[in-house]
């Protein structure tokens, strides 16, 4: 089963890559724009930390690890889940009917059906820089493994967010901005969520678990995350994912195929 | 004038057809503002001075940019490129009205709707967070800021229309607009005042049209510019408005010659 879905994913991804490079100029401009935005934000982080000496107690190097971790998680999720951004169109046009009758899980098709190669291109320097800054920190095997486990947890939460958005898309059809609201909220974690004051910090850490997704992995890497928070993160990740799947299944029962 | 009034009215109604979508758009705008606000608020939590700004001045800057940008940014001109690509421009060319005035009318509607929401949201944000806000009492500076604000609308309108007119020659219209939006965040002063950048960089940026869309009007309001910097700013802004307007009409004339109503 896993091999079957991997082969389908490869086929989807190759097709998506071919489509993305039909217009090479467009692909180049979008990639350039993404790298430019990354560069500008990195400059802001450097400017703020050098001016304030430390950001919520974090050094420049640590602040950059927070920023780069955010970028890696954000870009990887966009790379994998890009088709979610086109889902409303599928619902409105009735194209979703065709997805439902195909011999694959419809959620798989909508989540993974259109990987974005431009995100793959920009992901390479992000990961390279992240590794570079991590090597300048004193990292142990335990903290690094914790970091990696929390990264996986972050992808799980991110997948759950995307599934919730898909379910809302079926239930309301008027959700053009829902995925962008998710991205706006997660962008708060370009900086460690510790800089925000309560109750906002608690809200974006546990209620909308942006902090668990983006800030906890680097904190674990620095050895600043208590073991019980690792456990809480796992519970939140798995719990959120299970709830999102239940919501998706409920949304499917409400799909009326009205547009087709 | 009645036909343009009808355009304003229709654009307003059009925006409210998908109400939940519109509300979610406004939620996005508020969230984006709050992110910037909380970021700077947290950085200034100890009431220190950073980048030559006190907490009060930086938060006023952020709040003013929120007000100004919601008026300046509100536009329907972002659709021009796709309208040209899909041949929908023909609909406008066949109708008995001036294309540029019709663009202006649609923009007026969008600006009224979005700015109305912004004022309402601003009031709620102010009541909830009680941010330190600097109220300018110098009437002369307020008038100058309003003039700069009108100039900002002109600069943004011309650039946005010019980006749309690229549709006459290419279907790659969104990539250039994407770059433009990113530039607005960083070099127009939407995310932070550009004078926190290294001096040479901010001086070069002041020669481009970008800072005149938010940064300059807000700095005039705050009264943080010297007399010579204010005069120079208005001078550069006037040159850009003139050049961009000229370019807009020139590109329009050239574009119409190659327009083939493809897609119709």
């Amino acid at each position: 089963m896993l091999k079957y879905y991997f082969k389908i994913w490869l086929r989807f991804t190759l097709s998506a890559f071919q489509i993305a490079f039909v217009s090479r100029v467009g692909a180049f401009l979008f990639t350039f724009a993404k790298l430019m935005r990354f560069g500008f934000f990195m400059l802001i982080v450097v400017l703020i930390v050098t001016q304030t000496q430390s950001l919520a107690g974090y050094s420049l190097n640590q602040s950059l690890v927070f920023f780069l971790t955010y970028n890696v998680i954000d870009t990887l999720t966009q790379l994998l889940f890009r088709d979610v951004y086109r889902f409303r169109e599928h619902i409105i046009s009735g194209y979703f009917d065709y997805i439902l009758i195909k011999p694959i899980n419809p959620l798989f098709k909508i989540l993974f059906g259109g990987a974005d190669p431009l995100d793959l291109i920009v992901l390479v320097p992000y990961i390279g820089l992240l590794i570079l800054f991590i090597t300048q920190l004193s990292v142990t095997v335990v903290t690094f493994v914790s970091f990696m486990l929390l990264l996986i947890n972050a992808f799980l939460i991110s997948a759950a967010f995307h599934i919730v958005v898909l379910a809302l898309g079926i239930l309301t059809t008027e959700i053009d901005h829902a995925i962008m609201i998710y991205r706006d909220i997660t962008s708060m974690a370009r900086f460690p969520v510790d800089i925000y004051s309560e109750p906002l910090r608690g809200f974006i850490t546990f209620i909308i678990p942006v902090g668990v997704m983006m800030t906890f992995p680097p904190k674990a890497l620095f050895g600043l995350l208590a073991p019980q928070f690792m456990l809480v993160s796992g519970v939140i990740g798995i719990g959120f994912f299970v709830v999102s799947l239940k919501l998706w299944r409920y949304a499917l029962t409400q799909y009326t195929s009205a547009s087709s | 004038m009645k036909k343009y009034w009808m355009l304003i009215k229709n654009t307003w109604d059009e925006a409210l057809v998908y109400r939940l979508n519109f509300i979610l758009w406004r939620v996005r705008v508020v969230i984006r503002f709050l992110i910037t606000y909380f970021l700077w608020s947290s950085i200034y939590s100890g009431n220190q001075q950073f980048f030559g700004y006190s907490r009060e001045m930086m938060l006023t800057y952020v709040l003013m940019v929120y007000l100004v940008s919601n008026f300046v940014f509100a536009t329907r001109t972002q659709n021009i490129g796709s309208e040209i690509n899909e041949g929908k421009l023909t609909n406008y060319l066949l109708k008995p009205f001036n294309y540029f005035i019709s663009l202006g009318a649609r923009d007026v509607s969008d600006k009224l709707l979005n700015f109305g929401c912004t004022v309402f949201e601003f009031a709620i944000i102010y009541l909830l967070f009680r941010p330190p806000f600097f109220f300018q009492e110098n009437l002369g500076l307020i008038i100058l800021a309003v003039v700069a604000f009108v100039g900002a609308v002109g600069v943004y309108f011309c650039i946005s229309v010019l980006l749309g007119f690229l549709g006459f020659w290419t279907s790659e219209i969104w990539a250039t607009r994407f770059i433009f939006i990113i530039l607005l965040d960083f070099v127009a002063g939407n995310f932070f005042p550009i004078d926190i950048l290294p001096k040479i960089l901010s001086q070069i940026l002041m020669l481009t049209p970008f800072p005149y869309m938010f940064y300059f009007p807000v700095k005039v309001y705050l009264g943080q510019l010297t007399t010579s910097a204010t005069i120079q700013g208005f001078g550069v802004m006037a040159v850009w408005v003139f050049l961009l307007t000229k370019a807009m009409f020139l590109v329009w004339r050239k574009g119409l010659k190659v327009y083939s109503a493809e897609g119709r």
Side-chain angles (χ1 to χ4, degrees):
Chain A
M1 182 65 93
L2 206 64
K3 199 176 162 190
Y4 172 69
Y5 273 98
F6 182 69
K7 271 175 82 174
I8 294 172
W9 178 78
L10 265 185
R11 187 62 62 86
F12 281 147
T13 304
L14 282 173
S15 303
F17 279 28
Q18 282 174 333
I19 293 167
F21 287 108
V22 166
S23 167
R24 290 182 182 84
V25 176
F28 170 77
L29 289 175
F30 272 115
T31 310
F32 171 74
K34 282 167 189 269
L35 289 172
M36 186 172 74
R37 182 176 53 190
F38 171 79
F40 277 133
F41 267 115
M42 195 150 168
L43 178 69
I44 292 176
V45 175
V46 173
L47 275 174
I48 289 175
V49 181
T50 45
Q51 187 76 202
T52 58
Q53 305 307 319
S54 71
L55 195 62
Y58 297 106
S59 67
L60 176 60
N61 203 332
Q62 288 174 321
S63 302
L64 287 171
V65 170
F66 277 113
F67 172 69
L68 289 161
T69 305
Y70 159 81
N71 276 285
V72 168
I73 295 169
D74 184 57
T75 309
L76 195 57
T77 51
Q78 280 187 76
L79 163 70
L80 293 173
F81 305 143
R82 179 58 81 179
D83 229 22
V84 172
Y85 292 71
R86 303 176 192 115
F87 186 58
R88 185 179 180 243
E89 195 49 44
H90 294 345
I91 292 287
I92 288 173
S93 65
Y95 179 75
F96 187 52
D97 291 7
Y98 293 107
I99 297 173
L100 285 173
I101 58 171
K102 284 187 175 140
I104 53 167
N105 186 321
L107 183 58
F108 174 81
K109 163 71 180 95
I110 303 159
L111 269 182
F112 298 104
D116 188 344
L118 307 184
D119 285 318
L120 184 63
I121 295 168
V122 296
L123 193 60
V124 175
Y126 297 170
I127 291 176
L129 282 169
L130 182 60
I131 292 169
L132 178 75
F133 285 107
I134 286 176
T135 54
Q136 292 172 16
L137 298 165
S138 50
V139 177
T140 65
V141 176
V142 175
T143 59
F144 187 73
V145 170
S146 307
F147 173 70
M148 293 307 290
L149 285 174
L150 285 168
L151 275 189
I152 294 166
N153 193 52
F155 294 127
L156 196 65
I157 295 171
S158 173
F161 265 123
H162 284 77
I163 294 168
V164 168
V165 168
L166 291 171
L168 289 176
I170 293 178
L171 294 171
T172 69
T173 73
E174 287 194 31
I175 299 290
D176 253 359
H177 297 293
I179 190 69
M180 297 313 290
I181 289 174
Y182 153 77
R183 290 200 57 202
D184 287 337
I185 292 173
T186 54
S187 74
M188 293 182 93
R190 276 196 180 97
F191 304 92
V193 296
D194 307 57
I195 70 164
Y196 303 108
S197 49
E198 294 292 359
L200 179 69
R201 183 170 46 200
F203 184 75
I204 60 169
T205 302
F206 297 111
I207 309 296
I208 304 173
V210 171
V212 173
M213 279 174 73
M214 312 286 194
T215 300
F216 277 20
K219 283 184 87 164
L221 187 72
F222 308 147
L224 298 173
L225 193 72
Q228 61 265 34
F229 281 112
M230 288 275 296
L231 200 66
V232 169
S233 305
V235 170
I236 288 174
I238 293 166
F240 196 31
F241 188 70
V242 169
V243 169
S244 72
L245 285 179
K246 283 195 183 299
L247 185 66
W248 167 253
R249 285 194 196 109
Y250 169 73
L252 277 182
T253 63
Q254 302 300 305
Y255 180 60
T256 57
S257 186
S259 309
S260 56
Chain B
M1 280 311 284
K2 200 179 168 187
K3 55 192 174 189
Y4 297 113
W5 168 246
M6 284 309 292
L7 260 180
I8 293 175
K9 203 171 161 299
N10 284 347
T11 310
W12 179 286
D13 290 341
E14 218 176 277
L16 295 177
V17 169
Y18 292 103
R19 283 184 196 154
L20 180 58
N21 217 30
F22 180 75
I23 291 167
L24 285 172
W25 158 246
R26 292 311 311 173
V27 169
R28 275 198 71 196
V29 172
V30 173
I31 288 174
R32 285 177 64 118
F33 161 72
L34 288 178
I35 290 168
T36 314
Y37 174 81
F38 284 126
L39 173 69
W40 286 110
S41 178
S42 310
I43 289 167
Y44 280 88
S45 55
N47 283 325
Q48 311 93 324
Q49 274 232 353
F50 297 121
F51 308 108
Y53 283 81
S54 65
R55 178 180 160 82
E56 183 190 32
M57 281 301 187
M58 184 57 90
L59 293 182
T60 303
Y61 179 87
V62 171
L63 284 160
M64 282 300 292
V65 165
Y66 171 61
L67 283 174
V68 172
S69 64
N70 269 284
F71 192 82
V72 174
F73 265 177
T75 184
R76 287 304 178 95
T77 52
Q78 74 271 19
N79 298 328
I80 294 174
S82 53
E83 283 172 355
I84 295 170
N85 285 163
E86 292 161 17
K88 289 180 184 167
L89 179 67
T90 311
N91 294 345
Y92 298 102
L93 297 176
L94 291 174
K95 284 174 185 160
F97 49 56
N98 179 298
Y99 181 64
F100 287 94
I101 300 179
S102 76
L103 282 180
R106 286 193 282 168
D107 266 22
V108 166
S109 184
D110 211 50
K111 284 181 195 304
L112 286 175
L113 186 59
N114 278 288
F115 193 66
C117 292
T118 306
V119 171
F120 175 69
E121 293 151 10
F122 184 88
I124 293 174
I125 288 166
Y126 191 81
L127 290 172
L128 277 178
F129 300 110
R130 299 271 172 195
F133 188 81
F134 171 73
F135 287 95
Q136 182 57 263
E137 288 167 358
N138 184 327
L139 188 63
L141 283 176
I142 292 173
I143 292 168
L144 281 177
V146 171
V147 174
F149 182 57
V150 173
V153 172
V155 171
Y156 180 74
F157 178 81
C158 291
I159 295 179
S160 184
V161 170
L162 276 166
L163 286 173
F165 285 170
L166 284 176
F168 283 121
W169 291 276
T170 175
S171 56
E172 290 305 332
I173 42 174
W174 289 112
T176 43
R177 195 168 283 278
F178 184 48
I179 292 176
F180 176 58
I181 291 168
I182 290 171
L183 284 173
L184 286 180
D185 270 347
F186 296 97
V187 298
N190 197 18
F191 196 70
F192 56 87
I194 64 166
D195 56 359
I196 73 168
L197 293 170
K199 199 174 178 187
I200 183 74
L201 192 57
S202 61
Q203 280 175 339
I204 292 168
L205 285 176
M206 287 308 289
L207 297 174
T208 69
F210 294 104
Y212 299 95
M213 286 181 259
F214 321 110
Y215 171 76
F216 182 68
V218 176
K219 288 292 276 188
V220 171
Y221 171 86
L222 292 174
Q224 287 184 329
L225 297 175
T226 61
T227 309
S228 63
T230 308
I231 293 168
Q232 190 187 325
F234 274 109
V236 177
M237 186 187 229
V239 169
W240 275 116
V241 171
F242 175 76
L243 290 176
L244 288 167
T245 309
K246 278 275 187 198
M248 187 173 70
F249 287 116
L250 180 73
V251 173
W252 168 249
R253 283 194 295 274
K254 297 250 182 207
L256 279 185
K257 284 180 185 163
V258 297
Y259 178 61
S260 58
E262 192 184 316
R264 284 273 121 181

